[in-house]
Amino acid sequence: MLRLLAVALLLGSLALAQFDPTKRWFTLRTEHFDIHYHAGLERVASEAAIYAEKAYALLKADFEEPPGRISLVLSDVGDTLNGFANPANNRVGIFTGQFRSSDLFNPRLSSWWETVIFHEIAHIFDLSQVRGPLKDRTRIFGQLPAQSAVKPFPFVEGTVLYLKHKKLGESRLNDATTRMMLRQMVISGRFPSLDEIRQAYSRSAWPPLGFLVYNYSAWLVQYLEVRFGEDAYRRFTEANAGMLAFKDFNQPFLKAFGVSLDQIYADFVRWLPGQFEGEIARIRAEGLTPVQKLSALGFFSEAPTDSANGLVYAHASPLRSGLRLVVNEKERELVNGPAQYPQWSPDGRYLLFTASRAASPYFVGSDLYQYDRLEGSVKRLTSGERVYYARYAPDGQSIFLAKNTPDGSTELARYFIELGRIQPLRSFPHQDGVVHSFAVAPDGNSLVLSLLRRGGFQDLYRYTLQTGALTPLTQDKNVEADPVFSPDGRYVIYSSDVNRVYNLYAYRLEDGAVFQVTNLLTGALQPTISHSKQHLIFTGYDEAGYNLYQVAYDPRTWKRIALEREPLPEFRPAEAAQGEAYNPFPYLRPLYWLPTAGIGVGGFGLSAVLGASFAASDPVGIHAYSVGAGFDSNFRGVYYNLAYQYAGLGFPLVLQAVGAGRDSAQGVGASFWSAQGGLDMQYVRTDLLEPALDPNQNTVTHAFSARIRVSDTTASDLFRLRSSLSLLGTAFVREGSPDWRYSVQGALGLQMRLPLEATHVIGLRLGGGFTTSPLAYDGFDLGALPLVAGGQPPLAVRGYAPGQLRGQQALVGSLEYRLPPWSLERGLGNWPVFFDDLSLAVFMDAGVAGSPLRLEQTRFSLGAELRLGLTLFYLAPGGSVALGGAQGLGEAGPRFYLSLLLPGL
């Protein structure tokens, strides 16, 4: 065991910090929270403290208070919207970005901070509950990760959305996007099965898993309280928090309500249509707008832009992503990758878009790109400018930009193409004016902005370039977005969710009159004017997801409506926090410990292991450590495993020591990140009994190694090619020997997805290695192991036993064809085990080892592998069990192997 560990002692070190540990961090303390923030977020920290304590007060009425203080970490991690909660260590993380938040979230609360902070603190409350005898029996372990944290996904994310709606009045449960998707389900009469929403897995059908476990599931949790009373979720929590995690999840429902989860879900599916039938009837009674469908790929087919050269839109799905061009009802991919919000240049040559890339392990940045139609090439226009939305000026000589700032605010700017320079136009500090989108007037003298103001008002504003004046056009709690000017400049056409239904509207600039342009059962978003100026093209919604539609551009058919203006609430920025310098050390006290026990069979016979482990890290992630120790009967003594990671230098530096009986290993390593891989370096000292070297005493070895990891993906429409390269070089010396020895091994992997709708994959693996050590002990063994965790080593030939192919030099190759997986998407009843899919692969392996190599001795094998994808405990996808067999050519019979892959191992 220790020899294997010594080879890769630190290459899989402790988890990487989630926040940039090199920044200057501070801490603001409140009654229940430690608010950690880096320089530049002082006002955000003050406001976060207010919303955190408000959430705490609201939630403690329904839950027992979480054990201990809660650390809330605020950080600018780039151009992404998110947060997270970890009940195991009382930790919440909040990312400051909030641009275009209404695309994903309900923006009607007072601010993004209230929305996301309540969400994550609700997780801490909900997932830390322990009740009854179980609470007393587990008290000895400290703040043990609660049994409540292991439950079906709807009762994790759906619960929090329902609680947010119940306590604050708004959440994704009642926003226009959720209602749009649910109306479509009711219209089609198709609802997901309980298996489809219960856990995380690699879902490839619409609706996406995120919608099912958040938005849709919030209605399921609401149904509990509609049916069983306002205290229903509290009763469910009382029952579930007193049970062990591994159980039939019907049990807590039977205990709380006398009805199984299966029956409750069946009743919910029958109840849900009644909540939308009246709304559907009202929309139909007003007369549906005739539209023409322009795309059929569904999923996320959005943001159309039209020119004489064709209609372009952004598409993202499990099969493909990029910008697509539609000409004469035929379409093809134009730009591959995560491109967003395209726009043709006025002359039709260039296509503008934004895209995000990882700039460091702690930061994702969005920038501006331009596709040249004539040259077929993409040029990056900005770097590190955090541009997330852009539109050409009418003359095509400049581009107007919306940019993010570190504290979650936004700015307007202008990019001059010939100069390659950016001119700031206007900032919107303190997140009071987050630019969602905008349109440029035909004369180029003004912009119309979709601007999210404090209090949950996302309205249209006119910004005049010459004076800098900002004039509100609309002012209500409807969510206005993605404006575009009419061809004659008289109207601004935009999407709005009046009555929580997205449709297109027109604002007449000369007198402020508002007109309803469409009336659709699902919704209309992101309008643009067709090149012919005869149609409005927009993003609509149907059973396949988002698709493009068009409607005739005819102002005579529009319906004038009256919208009452609502007053904006008074907003005063919070005072800047005066926090103390961040001290990570008080947070390194372990909150709990876990027993470890097991029985196994190894090279030393039957072994019994009994021990304990604990771990901790500070909230920012500067320091982390783990400790494990116990008794191992194989070694007639104790074993230990100690690891410490320091990330304050900007890269993880790891120290580790392991031992069992008389054997031990110590090491130090560091990892360096790059966008396409990384570099790992380490030194390891081992003191092991190696009978092949010396059967009487331990051998001490000093080894220095470096590993380079490189990966890349190229794609075109359905075709995808992933390549990976790994090189490991080691220099080692044994005490008592003056000679340094060296070894190098590497592997190149290619995985090609064929350009078909079904997922056919061809894989190629080439590898090899050599060592200067003359000892067989240091050579390569290409035999395949019968039982492996994760997968066979890169230098292995399936169909041959360990010891059959050995030498100081080795070459291997493998060719594999994997058939499209069979989607299972079935659980084991309501137990925390889920079968995702089943796939079959056939392969041919080849390899040779020797001292030196003799290629004529190359061995070949043919085989097949059946792999079952798994999700364990609802929230841990990506596991698998694989059973394979291979027949070595010339061998007496086939050899079989079993491979087990568990998330996190």
Side-chain angles (χ1 to χ4, degrees):
M1 177 186 73
L2 285 179
R3 180 169 185 262
L4 293 175
L5 181 61
V7 173
L9 181 65
L10 303 166
L11 297 181
S13 60
L14 299 173
L16 190 67
Q18 291 175 288
F19 305 105
D20 189 344
T22 65
K23 292 186 175 182
R24 293 175 57 231
W25 289 87
F26 303 88
T27 300
L28 174 67
R29 303 189 191 281
T30 69
E31 182 180 359
H32 300 102
F33 294 88
D34 292 342
I35 313 292
H36 309 292
Y37 60 95
H38 56 71
L41 301 184
E42 290 79 9
R43 294 184 187 275
V44 175
S46 293
E47 192 171 349
I50 295 170
Y51 286 123
E53 289 294 348
K54 177 183 176 181
Y56 198 100
L58 291 171
L59 290 164
K60 73 177 183 180
D62 292 348
F63 297 95
E64 289 187 0
E65 297 182 46
R69 297 177 63 78
I70 299 173
S71 282
L72 191 155
V73 186
L74 297 164
S75 181
D76 173 27
V77 300
D79 305 317
T80 183
L81 295 86
N82 214 336
F84 68 87
N86 187 342
N89 52 24
N90 282 13
R91 194 165 301 162
V92 165
I94 304 296
F95 306 157
T96 59
Q98 51 187 289
F99 61 106
R100 292 189 67 99
S101 61
S102 63
D103 292 353
L104 300 172
F105 305 99
N106 186 337
R108 285 181 167 88
L109 292 175
S110 61
S111 78
W112 165 249
W113 310 124
E114 181 174 29
T115 300
V116 69
I117 288 172
F118 183 95
H119 187 105
E120 302 305 344
I121 292 174
H123 276 318
I124 295 293
F125 271 85
D126 179 46
L127 302 180
S128 63
Q129 301 298 299
V130 187
R131 296 284 196 279
L134 183 65
K135 186 173 185 178
D136 295 329
R137 292 169 187 166
T138 58
R139 194 183 304 275
I140 188 176
F141 299 112
Q143 185 183 318
L144 191 67
Q147 300 295 320
S148 292
V150 181
K151 55 185 176 182
F153 226 157
F155 304 103
V156 177
E157 297 297 351
T159 290
V160 170
L161 291 191
Y162 172 68
L163 289 172
K164 194 187 307 181
H165 175 262
K166 181 179 180 180
K167 299 291 186 179
L168 302 179
E170 296 284 352
S171 79
R172 275 175 278 175
L173 180 146
N174 66 326
D175 73 2
T177 300
T178 300
R179 298 191 69 88
M180 175 180 69
M181 292 183 172
L182 292 179
R183 282 197 306 277
Q184 177 60 56
M185 285 186 177
V186 172
I187 292 168
S188 65
R190 297 180 61 183
F191 299 91
S193 68
L194 184 56
D195 275 326
E196 290 180 274
I197 69 172
R198 190 166 25 215
Q199 57 281 303
Y201 62 102
S202 58
R203 182 176 174 84
S204 58
W206 187 268
L209 185 64
F211 170 77
L212 295 180
V213 301
Y214 283 82
N215 312 48
Y216 176 79
S217 293
W219 281 76
L220 173 59
V221 179
Q222 178 179 244
Y223 172 70
L224 289 180
E225 300 215 335
V226 169
R227 178 172 176 179
F228 299 110
E230 291 188 359
D231 66 341
Y233 194 78
R234 181 188 59 78
R235 289 156 56 196
F236 160 75
T237 298
E238 293 284 344
N240 183 58
M243 298 179 178
L244 292 174
F246 191 78
K247 60 179 177 289
D248 181 342
F249 215 80
N250 279 313
Q251 294 178 13
F253 289 93
L254 288 167
K255 183 176 181 180
F257 311 118
V259 184
S260 69
L261 173 58
D262 291 317
Q263 185 60 53
I264 288 173
Y265 186 73
D267 295 341
F268 163 71
V269 170
R270 286 190 289 269
W271 169 84
L272 188 60
Q275 312 311 303
F276 292 90
E277 288 169 351
E279 186 173 75
I280 292 170
R282 176 184 59 79
I283 296 171
R284 282 186 168 137
E286 294 175 0
L288 299 180
T289 304
V291 298
Q292 178 187 0
K293 191 172 182 178
L294 301 179
S295 70
L297 291 181
F299 281 88
F300 296 96
S301 298
E302 304 176 298
T305 179
D306 198 23
S307 79
N309 299 304
L311 173 64
V312 168
Y313 68 96
H315 177 79
S317 72
L319 293 181
R320 47 164 79 86
S321 68
L323 299 182
R324 302 187 66 80
L325 174 68
V326 182
V327 178
N328 297 326
E329 299 184 353
K330 295 182 180 180
E331 72 173 75
R332 64 181 177 88
E333 185 177 87
L334 201 63
V335 176
N336 184 270
Q340 295 181 301
Y341 317 120
Q343 188 197 26
W344 282 110
S345 61
D347 63 4
R349 174 173 177 175
Y350 299 103
L351 194 64
L352 196 67
F353 63 93
T354 61
S356 297
R357 300 285 189 272
S360 79
Y362 315 109
F363 193 89
V364 175
S366 180
D367 272 298
L368 187 63
Y369 296 80
Q370 185 174 257
Y371 172 79
D372 187 327
R373 180 181 60 84
L374 298 182
E375 297 183 2
S377 61
V378 172
K379 178 181 179 181
R380 185 171 184 170
L381 299 183
T382 66
S383 180
E385 293 293 341
R386 308 189 65 171
V387 178
Y388 63 89
Y389 195 82
R391 286 295 179 260
Y392 280 104
D395 61 6
Q397 301 301 306
S398 62
I399 301 167
F400 293 96
L401 314 174
K403 302 170 52 181
N404 280 312
T405 65
D407 71 345
S409 300
T410 61
E411 297 176 345
L412 277 177
R414 191 170 190 172
Y415 177 83
F416 293 93
I417 298 174
E418 288 295 326
L419 299 176
R421 297 178 61 183
I422 293 178
Q423 173 194 17
L425 293 178
R426 182 184 177 111
S427 63
F428 298 90
H430 314 305
Q431 310 87 45
D432 186 23
V434 177
V435 178
H436 175 276
S437 48
F438 58 82
V440 184
D443 60 11
N445 294 325
S446 64
L447 309 178
V448 169
L449 313 176
S450 168
L451 202 62
L452 177 61
R453 301 292 302 274
R454 292 299 187 120
F457 286 75
Q458 184 164 306
D459 292 300
L460 300 182
Y461 287 77
R462 190 164 196 175
Y463 172 70
T464 304
L465 291 173
Q466 185 174 0
T467 65
L470 188 68
T471 305
L473 304 182
T474 64
Q475 190 169 295
D476 52 50
K477 293 300 284 282
N478 301 317
V479 179
E480 271 92 60
D482 297 298
V484 62
F485 276 87
S486 63
D488 58 9
R490 294 182 62 204
Y491 298 93
V492 175
I493 302 163
Y494 60 98
S495 70
S496 181
D497 66 344
V498 177
N499 298 321
R500 307 285 171 131
V501 178
Y502 274 116
N503 272 298
L504 301 186
Y505 292 82
Y507 182 95
R508 193 160 60 196
L509 292 167
E510 60 199 49
D511 60 3
V514 177
F515 301 84
Q516 184 172 346
V517 178
T518 64
N519 182 55
L520 301 177
L521 280 171
T522 51
L525 307 101
Q526 301 175 329
T528 192
I529 306 296
S530 69
H531 176 68
S532 68
K533 299 180 175 55
Q534 301 300 308
H535 294 90
L536 281 170
I537 302 173
F538 63 92
T539 300
Y541 185 79
D542 54 46
E543 195 172 2
Y546 293 94
N547 271 306
L548 302 189
Y549 292 79
Q550 71 177 11
V551 61
Y553 178 79
D554 186 359
R556 297 171 301 175
T557 65
W558 299 350
K559 176 184 176 183
R560 184 165 181 172
I561 63 172
L563 297 175
E564 292 188 9
R565 296 179 76 87
E566 301 179 48
L568 286 173
E570 182 181 0
F571 168 68
R572 293 183 179 179
E575 294 293 329
Q578 300 295 320
E580 61 193 51
Y582 175 71
N583 180 7
F585 298 107
Y587 302 97
L588 296 179
R589 176 181 63 87
L591 300 180
Y592 61 88
W593 64 274
L594 293 172
T596 56
I599 298 176
V601 178
F604 294 89
L606 187 67
S607 66
V609 175
L610 181 65
S613 66
F614 60 87
S617 65
D618 68 277
V620 172
I622 298 174
H623 303 276
Y625 71 90
S626 65
V627 175
F631 177 81
D632 186 333
S633 63
N634 266 338
F635 295 91
R636 298 187 179 89
V638 299
Y639 73 87
Y640 61 89
N641 187 344
L642 313 174
Y644 165 76
Q645 176 177 285
Y646 176 68
L649 300 175
F651 59 87
L653 179 66
V654 180
L655 304 175
Q656 191 166 359
V658 298
R662 295 172 53 194
D663 293 344
S664 65
Q666 305 83 38
V668 58
S671 295
F672 303 91
W673 179 91
S674 76
Q676 292 184 313
L679 170 65
D680 306 313
M681 303 179 68
Q682 68 177 23
Y683 160 74
V684 177
R685 176 190 181 275
T686 59
D687 186 348
L688 307 175
L689 180 63
E690 301 284 6
L693 298 176
D694 189 333
N696 300 314
Q697 61 182 2
N698 281 17
T699 300
V700 176
T701 304
H702 302 268
F704 296 86
S705 64
R707 172 179 289 172
I708 298 174
R709 297 170 282 107
V710 180
S711 62
D712 190 27
T713 299
T714 58
S716 176
D717 208 338
L718 291 169
F719 175 81
R720 188 168 299 152
L721 177 64
R722 292 191 177 97
S723 58
S724 62
L725 175 65
S726 176
L727 291 173
L728 174 64
T730 304
F732 60 96
V733 63
R734 295 187 172 94
E735 291 187 2
S737 170
D739 299 321
W740 280 87
R741 305 296 184 182
Y742 306 93
S743 75
V744 176
Q745 61 176 300
L748 171 67
L750 299 174
Q751 193 176 72
M752 179 173 62
R753 185 194 187 281
L754 300 182
L756 304 170
E757 290 289 338
T759 304
H760 297 260
V761 177
I762 295 176
L764 175 66
R765 174 174 54 88
L766 300 173
F770 71 90
T771 179
T772 61
S773 172
L775 301 178
Y777 177 84
D778 296 323
F780 299 95
D781 189 339
L782 306 186
L785 301 171
L787 178 63
V788 293
Q792 295 287 348
L795 302 187
V797 181
R798 289 164 287 188
Y800 294 89
Q804 280 189 267
L805 304 175
R806 302 188 64 174
Q808 312 316 107
Q809 301 173 32
L811 287 175
V812 298
S814 179
L815 181 65
E816 178 179 285
Y817 167 59
R818 189 167 295 275
L819 283 74
W822 294 280
S823 179
L824 301 177
E825 297 184 2
R826 292 290 183 272
L828 187 63
N830 279 293
W831 292 86
V833 177
F834 176 78
F835 306 113
D836 188 351
D837 55 28
L838 186 67
S839 61
L840 174 66
V842 293
F843 59 83
M844 179 179 71
D845 285 357
V848 59
S851 306
L853 285 180
R854 298 179 62 183
L855 295 181
E856 65 272 16
Q857 295 180 349
T858 301
R859 304 289 186 90
F860 297 88
S861 67
L862 299 174
E865 178 183 282
L866 196 62
R867 183 175 296 271
L868 176 65
L870 298 173
T871 294
L872 301 178
F873 295 103
Y874 309 113
L875 306 181
S880 67
V881 176
L883 175 64
Q887 173 64 57
L889 301 188
E891 295 296 296
R895 295 188 61 84
F896 297 93
Y897 62 88
L898 183 67
S899 173
L900 178 64
L901 175 63
L902 297 178
L905 297 181

